[in-house]
Amino acid sequence: MTATAPAAEATVRKSSPGAARGPRRRTGRIRRIGLPYLLLLPALLLELLVHLVPMVIGIVMSFKELTQFYIRDWGTAPWAGFDNYSVSVDFDAPVGKALLHSFLVTVAFTLLSVGLCWLIGTAAAVFMQDTFRGRGLLRALFLVPYALPVYAAVITWVFMFQHDNGLVNHVLHDQLGLTDKPSFWLIGDNSFIALLTVSVWKGWPFAFLIVMAGLQNIPRELYEAAALDGAGMIQQLRRITLPSLRPVNQVLVLVLFLWTFNDFNTPYVLFGKSAPEAADLISVHIYQASFVTWNFGTGSAMSVLLLLFLLVVTGVYLALTSRGRRTAS
């Protein structure tokens, strides 16, 4: 009697529909949870191969005394420890002093470029909200600098900045008479202005595109109600447009900052392998330290320091912006 009771109870459990439905539910839940990760697996593998693996190799190279004598088999290069980092951050020595100067130039260039790109892009996007004849054509023309290939656009600017027959000197000196003599734009202190001009010219259409997309999500009823209350264009911009665009601007400024700070193509095509001292961006400086002087260990250490700086800035920026969103809500 006692032996048959557990067997009968087990038979009842097997025959009940709830007992069979439980494992099926768990299996379906596992499939639903695992499917997104399975779909992301190819992208994660490509990201690992394209970015993470070279990044790890670069970090390892920064701890080696890697010069042109070990380039064929860099794994046999002697271990240098933190010597490459010590040389890079020794601001009293020539290498560290040059790196600090390049860093300060890059910071000034990035702040000016990002600020001007955001200002011009936002102004153009707000202006384009009004309906007028030819608005679609004008929008398309505004996006041309962003759509052009970087090399083609920058090479065009190289010809325009030529000293003898460039368009810039022809307009400023020959036509308008704003300068006493033709200026050298690709050497000396004017190289910073030339680099900033090209960067803003090809960067502000991206800000224009993002801000214009963000403006589409602002209800027109808010502007109509503000106009009925007597608010002018400046007040509408301050009270409605800019607060509504805050999430968009937070992402936009961060992306522009990272792109501009790491920009290599623009200064390299504009000035070549050796940029002038006034326009010595840190991306070109690291390239010169690695591929011109053949000191890949020091160049890798500089790259790692740049990566750490950008990670810290990005983390602080995201923390501040998220705190601002929580305070506003």
Side-chain angles (χ1 to χ4, degrees), residues 1 107 165 182 193-194 239 310:
M1 187 71 180
V107 170
N165 52 6
I193 301 176
R239 303 297 181 182
L310 293 178

Side-chain angles (χ1 to χ4, degrees), residues 154-163 165-168 186 270:
V154 177
I155 288 175
T156 302
W157 277 100
V158 171
F159 287 107
M160 293 173 61
F161 281 129
Q162 292 296 321
H163 176 265
N165 52 6
L167 180 62
V168 175
L186 300 180
L270 198 62

Side-chain angles (χ1 to χ4, degrees), residues 9-328:
E9 185 177 352
T11 305
V12 172
R13 288 179 179 177
K14 290 181 181 179
S15 60
S16 62
R21 195 179 299 119
R24 293 177 183 174
R25 288 180 177 176
R26 286 194 296 270
T27 304
R29 190 180 300 112
I30 292 174
R31 289 178 179 177
R32 288 194 301 271
I33 295 175
L35 181 60
Y37 295 99
L38 182 62
L39 295 176
L40 287 174
L41 185 59
L44 292 176
L45 291 177
L46 290 176
E47 184 75 15
L48 180 67
L49 293 175
V50 174
H51 292 287
L52 295 183
V53 172
M55 186 185 303
V56 172
I57 294 175
I59 293 174
V60 174
M61 290 171 58
S62 67
F63 292 100
K64 287 181 171 290
E65 190 179 343
L66 184 59
T67 60
Q68 69 270 30
F69 302 107
Y70 301 97
I71 195 62
R72 287 190 63 181
D73 190 6
W74 66 272
T76 61
W79 193 261
F82 289 94
D83 292 344
N84 293 324
Y85 293 93
S86 301
V87 171
S88 300
V89 298
D90 186 6
F91 301 134
D92 293 330
V95 176
K97 188 180 297 184
L99 181 62
L100 178 61
H101 170 77
S102 177
F103 173 77
L104 296 177
V105 170
T106 307
V107 170
F109 165 75
T110 302
L111 293 178
L112 290 174
S113 179
V114 172
L116 290 174
C117 286
W118 178 84
L119 182 62
I120 298 174
T122 302
V126 172
F127 173 73
M128 285 295 168
Q129 288 302 107
D130 295 332
T131 303
F132 56 90
R133 182 176 296 180
R135 184 179 65 169
L137 178 61
L138 200 55
R139 282 179 175 178
L141 292 177
F142 281 174
L143 295 177
V144 168
Y146 181 68
L148 283 176
V150 176
Y151 289 95
V154 177
I155 288 175
T156 302
W157 277 100
V158 171
F159 287 107
M160 293 173 61
F161 281 129
Q162 292 296 321
H163 176 265
D164 296 327
N165 52 6
L167 180 62
V168 175
N169 280 334
H170 176 72
V171 173
L172 295 179
H173 177 68
D174 298 337
Q175 300 294 329
L176 300 178
L178 298 178
T179 57
D180 298 333
K181 57 182 180 180
S183 304
F184 289 95
W185 295 101
L186 300 180
I187 59 176
D189 295 337
N190 289 333
S191 58
F192 183 85
I193 301 176
L195 179 62
L196 181 63
T197 301
V198 178
S199 177
V200 173
W201 177 83
K202 72 182 185 64
W204 78 264
F206 176 75
F208 163 73
L209 185 65
I210 299 301
V211 174
M212 187 173 59
L215 289 174
Q216 307 302 317
N217 297 322
I218 303 178
R220 300 299 302 174
E221 291 79 7
L222 295 178
Y223 294 100
E224 295 174 359
L228 291 176
D229 291 338
M233 184 180 66
I234 302 299
Q235 291 180 331
Q236 293 179 16
L237 182 66
R238 292 179 54 192
R239 303 297 181 182
I240 299 176
T241 304
L242 292 181
S244 301
L245 289 175
R246 185 174 300 165
V248 175
N249 284 329
Q250 289 173 353
V251 178
L252 173 62
V253 170
L254 179 60
V255 172
L256 285 176
F257 174 81
L258 294 177
W259 283 359
T260 307
F261 208 97
N262 287 316
D263 190 13
F264 174 80
N265 295 329
T266 302
Y268 184 81
V269 178
L270 198 62
F271 305 115
K273 295 182 179 180
S274 58
E277 186 177 359
D280 185 22
L281 298 188
I282 196 167
S283 58
V284 180
H285 186 86
I286 293 175
Y287 168 81
Q288 292 174 347
S290 301
F291 295 95
V292 177
T293 62
W294 295 91
N295 198 337
F296 295 97
T298 304
S300 299
M302 293 178 182
S303 299
V304 174
L305 292 174
L306 174 61
L307 174 64
L308 293 176
F309 169 76
L310 293 178
L311 287 176
V312 170
V313 172
T314 302
V316 172
Y317 179 82
L318 292 177
L320 292 177
T321 53
S322 61
R323 183 183 301 176
R325 285 196 298 268
R326 288 195 298 267
T327 304

